Coordinates of all heavy atoms in Angstrom, one line a residue:
M1 N 0.8 -1.2 0.0 CA 0.0 0.0 0.0 C 0.9 1.3 0.0 O 1.9 1.2 0.6 CB -0.9 0.0 1.3 CG -2.2 0.7 1.0 SD -3.2 0.6 2.5 CE -4.0 -1.0 2.3
H2 N 0.4 2.3 -0.7 CA 1.3 3.5 -0.8 C 0.9 4.5 0.2 O -0.2 4.5 0.8 CB 1.1 4.0 -2.2 CG 1.6 3.2 -3.3 ND1 2.9 3.0 -3.5 CD2 0.9 2.4 -4.2 CE1 3.0 2.1 -4.6 NE2 1.8 1.8 -5.0
C3 N 1.9 5.4 0.4 CA 1.6 6.5 1.4 C 0.4 7.3 1.0 O -0.3 7.8 1.9 CB 2.9 7.4 1.3 SG 4.3 6.8 2.2
S4 N 0.1 7.5 -0.3 CA -1.1 8.3 -0.7 C -2.3 7.7 -0.1 O -3.3 8.4 0.3 CB -1.1 8.4 -2.2 OG -1.3 7.2 -2.8
E5 N -2.4 6.4 -0.1 CA -3.6 5.8 0.5 C -3.7 6.0 2.0 O -4.8 6.2 2.5 CB -3.7 4.2 0.2 CG -3.7 4.0 -1.3 CD -3.5 2.5 -1.6 OE1 -4.4 1.7 -1.4 OE2 -2.4 2.1 -2.0
F6 N -2.6 5.9 2.6 CA -2.6 6.2 4.1 C -2.9 7.6 4.4 O -3.6 7.9 5.4 CB -1.2 5.8 4.7 CG -1.1 4.3 4.8 CD1 -0.2 3.6 4.1 CD2 -1.9 3.6 5.7 CE1 0.0 2.3 4.2 CE2 -1.7 2.2 5.9 CZ -0.8 1.6 5.1
R7 N -2.5 8.5 3.5 CA -2.8 9.9 3.7 C -4.3 10.2 3.6 O -4.7 11.1 4.3 CB -1.9 10.8 2.8 CG -0.5 10.7 3.2 CD 0.5 11.4 2.4 NE 1.9 11.1 2.8 CZ 3.0 11.7 2.4 NH1 2.9 12.7 1.6 NH2 4.1 11.2 2.9
T8 N -4.9 9.6 2.7 CA -6.4 9.7 2.6 C -7.0 9.3 3.9 O -7.9 10.0 4.4 CB -6.9 8.8 1.5 OG1 -6.3 9.1 0.3 CG2 -8.4 9.0 1.3
A9 N -6.5 8.2 4.5 CA -7.0 7.8 5.8 C -6.7 8.7 6.9 O -7.5 9.0 7.8 CB -6.5 6.4 6.1
I10 N -5.4 9.3 6.9 CA -5.0 10.3 7.9 C -5.9 11.5 7.9 O -6.4 12.0 8.9 CB -3.6 10.7 7.7 CG1 -2.6 9.5 7.9 CG2 -3.2 11.8 8.7 CD1 -1.2 9.8 7.4
S11 N -6.2 12.0 6.6 CA -7.0 13.2 6.6 C -8.5 12.9 7.0 O -9.1 13.7 7.7 CB -6.9 13.7 5.2 OG -8.1 13.6 4.4
A12 N -8.9 11.7 6.8 CA -10.3 11.3 7.3 C -10.3 11.3 8.8 O -11.2 11.8 9.5 CB -10.7 9.9 6.7
R13 N -9.2 10.7 9.4 CA -9.1 10.7 10.9 C -9.0 12.1 11.5 O -9.7 12.4 12.5 CB -7.9 9.9 11.2 CG -7.7 9.6 12.7 CD -6.5 8.9 13.0 NE -6.7 7.4 13.1 CZ -5.8 6.6 13.4 NH1 -4.6 6.9 13.6 NH2 -6.1 5.2 13.5
V14 N -8.3 12.9 10.8 CA -8.1 14.3 11.3 C -9.5 15.0 11.3 O -9.9 15.8 12.2 CB -7.1 15.1 10.4 CG1 -7.2 16.6 10.7 CG2 -5.7 14.6 10.7
D15 N -10.3 14.7 10.2 CA -11.6 15.3 10.1 C -12.6 14.7 10.9 O -13.8 15.1 10.9 CB -12.0 15.3 8.6 CG -11.2 16.3 7.8 OD1 -10.6 17.2 8.3 OD2 -11.2 16.2 6.5
G16 N -12.3 13.6 11.6 CA -13.3 12.8 12.4 C -14.2 12.0 11.5 O -15.3 11.7 11.9
E17 N -13.8 11.7 10.3 CA -14.6 10.9 9.4 C -14.1 9.4 9.5 O -13.1 9.1 10.0 CB -14.5 11.4 8.0 CG -15.1 12.8 7.8 CD -14.6 13.4 6.5 OE1 -13.9 12.7 5.7 OE2 -15.0 14.5 6.2
E18 N -15.0 8.5 8.9 CA -14.6 7.1 8.9 C -13.4 6.9 8.0 O -13.3 7.5 7.0 CB -15.8 6.3 8.5 CG -16.9 6.3 9.5 CD -17.7 5.0 9.4 OE1 -17.2 4.0 8.8 OE2 -18.8 5.0 10.0
L19 N -12.5 6.0 8.4 CA -11.4 5.6 7.5 C -11.9 4.9 6.3 O -13.0 4.3 6.3 CB -10.5 4.7 8.3 CG -9.8 5.2 9.6 CD1 -8.9 4.2 10.1 CD2 -9.1 6.5 9.3
P20 N -11.2 5.1 5.1 CA -11.6 4.3 4.0 C -11.6 2.8 4.2 O -10.7 2.4 5.0 CB -10.5 4.7 2.9 CG -9.7 5.8 3.5 CD -10.0 5.9 5.0
P21 N -12.5 2.1 3.6 CA -12.6 0.7 3.9 C -11.3 -0.1 3.7 O -11.1 -1.2 4.4 CB -13.7 0.2 3.0 CG -13.9 1.2 2.0 CD -13.4 2.5 2.6
E22 N -10.4 0.3 2.8 CA -9.2 -0.4 2.5 C -8.1 -0.2 3.5 O -7.1 -0.8 3.5 CB -8.8 -0.1 1.0 CG -8.3 1.3 0.8 CD -9.5 2.2 0.4 OE1 -10.6 1.8 0.7 OE2 -9.2 3.3 -0.2
V23 N -8.3 0.8 4.4 CA -7.3 1.1 5.4 C -7.8 0.9 6.8 O -8.7 1.6 7.2 CB -6.7 2.5 5.2 CG1 -5.6 2.8 6.2 CG2 -6.3 2.8 3.8
S24 N -7.3 -0.1 7.5 CA -7.8 -0.3 8.9 C -7.0 0.7 9.8 O -5.9 1.1 9.5 CB -7.6 -1.7 9.4 OG -6.2 -2.0 9.5
G25 N -7.6 1.0 11.0 CA -6.9 1.8 11.9 C -5.6 1.3 12.4 O -4.6 2.0 12.5
A26 N -5.5 0.0 12.6 CA -4.3 -0.7 13.0 C -3.2 -0.6 11.9 O -2.1 -0.3 12.2 CB -4.6 -2.2 13.3
A27 N -3.6 -0.8 10.6 CA -2.7 -0.6 9.5 C -2.1 0.8 9.4 O -1.0 1.0 9.2 CB -3.4 -1.0 8.2
L28 N -3.0 1.7 9.7 CA -2.6 3.1 9.6 C -1.6 3.5 10.8 O -0.6 4.1 10.5 CB -3.9 4.1 9.7 CG -3.6 5.5 9.8 CD1 -2.8 6.0 8.6 CD2 -4.9 6.3 9.9
D29 N -1.9 3.0 12.0 CA -1.0 3.2 13.1 C 0.4 2.6 12.8 O 1.3 3.2 13.1 CB -1.6 2.7 14.4 CG -2.8 3.5 14.8 OD1 -2.8 4.7 14.5 OD2 -3.6 3.0 15.6
A30 N 0.3 1.4 12.3 CA 1.6 0.7 12.0 C 2.4 1.4 10.9 O 3.6 1.6 11.0 CB 1.3 -0.8 11.5
H31 N 1.7 2.0 10.0 CA 2.4 2.7 8.9 C 3.0 4.1 9.5 O 4.1 4.4 9.2 CB 1.4 3.1 7.8 CG 2.1 3.8 6.6 ND1 3.0 3.2 5.7 CD2 2.2 5.1 6.3 CE1 3.5 4.1 4.9 NE2 3.0 5.3 5.2
L32 N 2.2 4.7 10.3 CA 2.7 5.9 10.9 C 4.0 5.7 11.8 O 4.8 6.5 11.8 CB 1.6 6.6 11.8 CG 0.5 7.2 11.0 CD1 -0.7 7.6 11.9 CD2 1.0 8.5 10.2
L33 N 4.0 4.5 12.4 CA 5.2 4.2 13.2 C 6.4 4.0 12.4 O 7.5 4.4 12.7 CB 5.0 2.9 14.0 CG 4.1 3.0 15.3 CD1 3.9 1.7 15.9 CD2 4.8 4.0 16.2
S34 N 6.2 3.6 11.1 CA 7.4 3.2 10.2 C 7.7 4.3 9.2 O 8.7 4.3 8.6 CB 7.2 1.9 9.6 OG 6.0 2.0 8.7
C35 N 6.8 5.3 9.1 CA 6.9 6.2 8.0 C 6.9 7.7 8.5 O 5.9 8.2 8.8 CB 5.8 6.1 6.9 SG 6.0 7.2 5.5
S36 N 8.1 8.2 8.6 CA 8.2 9.6 9.2 C 7.6 10.6 8.3 O 7.1 11.6 8.7 CB 9.6 9.9 9.5 OG 10.4 10.0 8.3
A37 N 7.6 10.4 7.0 CA 7.0 11.4 6.0 C 5.5 11.5 6.3 O 5.0 12.6 6.3 CB 7.2 10.9 4.6
C38 N 4.8 10.3 6.6 CA 3.4 10.4 6.8 C 3.1 11.0 8.2 O 2.1 11.6 8.5 CB 2.8 9.0 6.7 SG 2.5 8.6 4.9
R39 N 4.0 10.7 9.2 CA 3.9 11.3 10.5 C 3.9 12.9 10.3 O 3.1 13.6 10.9 CB 5.0 10.9 11.4 CG 4.7 9.6 12.1 CD 5.5 9.4 13.4 NE 7.0 9.5 13.2 CZ 7.8 8.5 12.8 NH1 7.3 7.4 12.6 NH2 9.0 8.8 12.7
D40 N 4.9 13.4 9.6 CA 5.0 14.8 9.4 C 3.7 15.3 8.7 O 3.2 16.4 9.0 CB 6.2 15.2 8.6 CG 7.5 15.1 9.4 OD1 7.4 14.9 10.6 OD2 8.5 15.1 8.7
W41 N 3.3 14.6 7.7 CA 2.1 15.0 6.9 C 0.9 15.1 7.8 O 0.1 16.0 7.7 CB 1.9 14.0 5.8 CG 0.9 14.4 4.7 CD1 1.2 15.1 3.6 CD2 -0.5 14.2 4.8 NE1 0.0 15.4 2.9 CE2 -1.0 14.8 3.6 CE3 -1.4 13.6 5.7 CZ2 -2.4 14.8 3.3 CZ3 -2.8 13.7 5.4 CH2 -3.2 14.2 4.2
G42 N 0.8 14.1 8.7 CA -0.4 14.1 9.6 C -0.3 15.3 10.6 O -1.3 15.9 10.9
R43 N 0.9 15.6 11.0 CA 1.1 16.7 12.0 C 0.6 18.0 11.3 O -0.1 18.8 11.8 CB 2.6 16.8 12.3 CG 2.8 17.3 13.7 CD 4.2 17.1 14.1 NE 4.6 15.7 14.3 CZ 5.8 15.2 13.9 NH1 6.7 15.9 13.3 NH2 6.1 14.0 14.1
R44 N 1.0 18.1 10.0 CA 0.6 19.4 9.3 C -0.8 19.4 9.0 O -1.5 20.5 9.2 CB 1.3 19.4 7.9 CG 2.6 20.1 7.9 CD 3.0 20.6 6.5 NE 3.1 19.5 5.5 CZ 4.1 18.6 5.5 NH1 5.2 18.8 6.2 NH2 4.1 17.7 4.6
A45 N -1.4 18.3 8.7 CA -2.9 18.2 8.5 C -3.6 18.6 9.7 O -4.6 19.4 9.7 CB -3.3 16.8 8.1
R46 N -3.2 18.2 10.9 CA -3.9 18.6 12.2 C -3.7 20.1 12.4 O -4.6 20.7 12.9 CB -3.3 17.8 13.3 CG -4.0 16.4 13.5 CD -3.7 15.8 14.9 NE -2.3 15.6 15.1 CZ -1.6 14.6 14.7 NH1 -2.2 13.6 14.1 NH2 -0.3 14.4 14.9
R47 N -2.5 20.5 12.1 CA -2.3 22.0 12.4 C -3.1 22.8 11.5 O -3.7 23.8 11.9 CB -0.8 22.3 12.2 CG -0.4 23.7 12.7 CD 1.0 24.0 12.6 NE 1.9 22.9 12.9 CZ 3.0 22.6 12.2 NH1 3.3 23.3 11.1 NH2 3.8 21.6 12.5
L48 N -3.3 22.4 10.2 CA -4.1 23.2 9.3 C -5.5 23.1 9.8 O -6.3 24.2 9.7 CB -4.0 22.5 7.9 CG -2.8 22.9 7.0 CD1 -2.8 22.2 5.7 CD2 -2.8 24.4 6.8
K49 N -6.0 22.0 10.3 CA -7.4 21.9 10.7 C -7.6 22.8 11.9 O -8.6 23.5 12.0 CB -7.7 20.4 11.1 CG -9.2 20.3 11.5 CD -9.5 18.8 11.7 CE -10.8 18.7 12.4 NZ -11.9 19.2 11.6
T50 N -6.6 22.8 12.8 CA -6.7 23.7 14.0 C -6.8 25.2 13.6 O -7.6 25.9 14.0 CB -5.5 23.5 14.9 OG1 -5.4 22.1 15.2 CG2 -5.7 24.3 16.2
L51 N -5.9 25.6 12.6 CA -6.0 26.9 12.1 C -7.3 27.2 11.5 O -7.9 28.3 11.7 CB -4.9 27.1 11.1 CG -3.4 27.2 11.7 CD1 -2.4 27.3 10.5 CD2 -3.3 28.5 12.5
A52 N -7.8 26.3 10.7 CA -9.1 26.5 10.0 C -10.2 26.7 11.0 O -11.1 27.5 10.8 CB -9.4 25.4 9.0
A53 N -10.2 25.9 12.0 CA -11.2 26.0 13.0 C -11.2 27.3 13.7 O -12.2 27.9 14.0 CB -11.0 24.9 14.1
G54 N -10.0 27.9 14.0 CA -9.8 29.2 14.6 C -10.3 30.3 13.7 O -10.8 31.3 14.2
L55 N -10.2 30.1 12.4 CA -10.7 31.2 11.5 C -12.1 31.1 11.1 O -12.6 32.0 10.5 CB -9.9 31.0 10.1 CG -8.4 31.3 10.3 CD1 -7.7 31.0 9.0 CD2 -8.1 32.8 10.7
R56 N -12.8 30.0 11.5 CA -14.2 29.8 11.1 C -15.0 30.9 11.8 O -14.9 31.1 13.0 CB -14.7 28.5 11.5 CG -15.9 28.0 10.8 CD -16.2 26.5 11.1 NE -15.2 25.7 10.6 CZ -14.8 24.5 11.1 NH1 -15.3 24.1 12.2 NH2 -13.9 23.7 10.4
P57 N -15.9 31.6 11.0 CA -16.7 32.6 11.6 C -17.7 32.0 12.6 O -18.2 30.9 12.4 CB -17.4 33.3 10.4 CG -17.3 32.3 9.3 CD -16.1 31.5 9.6
V58 N -18.1 32.7 13.6 CA -19.0 32.2 14.7 C -20.4 32.4 14.2 O -20.8 33.4 13.7 CB -18.8 33.0 16.0 CG1 -19.8 32.4 17.0 CG2 -17.3 32.8 16.4
Ligands
ZN1 ZN1 3.9 6.9 4.5

C-alpha cells in the first residue's frame, strides 16, 4: 500500500470521518510508526485543521 492511500485515511481521521474501507486503523497506526513522512504529513494536516477551526466565523 502506498503513502497516498494512508494519507487519505489520515485526513479522514483528522476530520473525524470514517477511515476508507481499504485502510484499517491498525494498519494506519503501523504505517505511521514506520513512515516519518506520513507522521509529518499528519502533523501538518492537524495543524491546518486547527488553524481553519480558529478562522471559522462564529
Ligand atoms: Zn507513508
Side-chain angles (χ1 to χ4, degrees):
M1 210 179 278
H2 294 289
C3 286
S4 62
E5 296 170 77
F6 285 111
R7 288 176 192 194
T8 302
I10 294 167
S11 110
R13 186 181 264 180
V14 167
D15 288 340
E17 293 166 2
E18 290 208 16
L19 298 182
E22 65 272 19
V23 183
S24 71
L28 177 57
D29 289 336
H31 183 76
L32 286 171
L33 282 177
S34 65
C35 183
S36 62
C38 281
R39 278 203 303 275
D40 285 349
W41 193 93
R43 213 171 291 139
R44 268 202 304 279
R46 274 197 301 277
R47 194 178 317 140
L48 279 177
K49 181 171 167 67
T50 306
L51 285 174
L55 294 173
R56 198 171 292 151
V58 180

